[in-house]
Amino acid sequence: MITIVNKTNKTFYIDWSTQYPDVNAYKSKPNPALNGFSKVSANETTDQVFASKSSYESIFKYRIPSGVMMIYVFDGSTLETQGWDYIKNNNLVYKRYDLTLQDLNNMNWTLTID
């Protein structure tokens, strides 16, 4: 589990991918509401279960040959008003984090958006 700390006044949708370094990996996703994107409200701290901590080592070993997972952050307001196709077609990724297992350990499994 990764703790997401949103220190902004914006709502975000979060997703992850193991297809590093494919910068367009998120574009293969259908509408986030149908595909498990996580919503993080303004000034909220929440645990995101992309996988359990104990299974991350296995995920990195067997599903992430590059050793890097990507976490995508999308602006919730834009997504909710303009739609997913608008986000994809205009490459509107608010932030992207490229993280190794060591990075996650160093961050104490906490990702801060500010």
Side-chain angles (χ1 to χ4, degrees), residues 47-89:
D47 291 328
Q48 301 299 311
V49 183
F50 303 122
S52 67
K53 266 190 199 179
S54 60
S55 67
Y56 273 100
E57 285 184 14
S58 178
I59 288 172
F60 272 91
K61 184 174 182 179
Y62 297 109
R63 289 185 49 203
I64 309 178
S66 67
V68 179
M69 72 180 283
M70 296 173 293
I71 296 179
Y72 290 100
V73 179
F74 302 100
D75 182 279
S77 177
T78 304
L79 181 59
E80 291 167 358
T81 59
Q82 300 295 319
W84 180 238
D85 286 336
Y86 183 81
I87 297 282
K88 290 192 312 185
N89 294 337

Side-chain angles (χ1 to χ4, degrees), residues 2 4 8 32 34 38 56 58-59 61 69 83 102 105 114:
I2 297 174
I4 307 289
T8 74
L34 303 175
S38 300
Y56 273 100
S58 178
I59 288 172
K61 184 174 182 179
M69 72 180 283
Q102 186 61 51
N105 283 320
D114 48 11

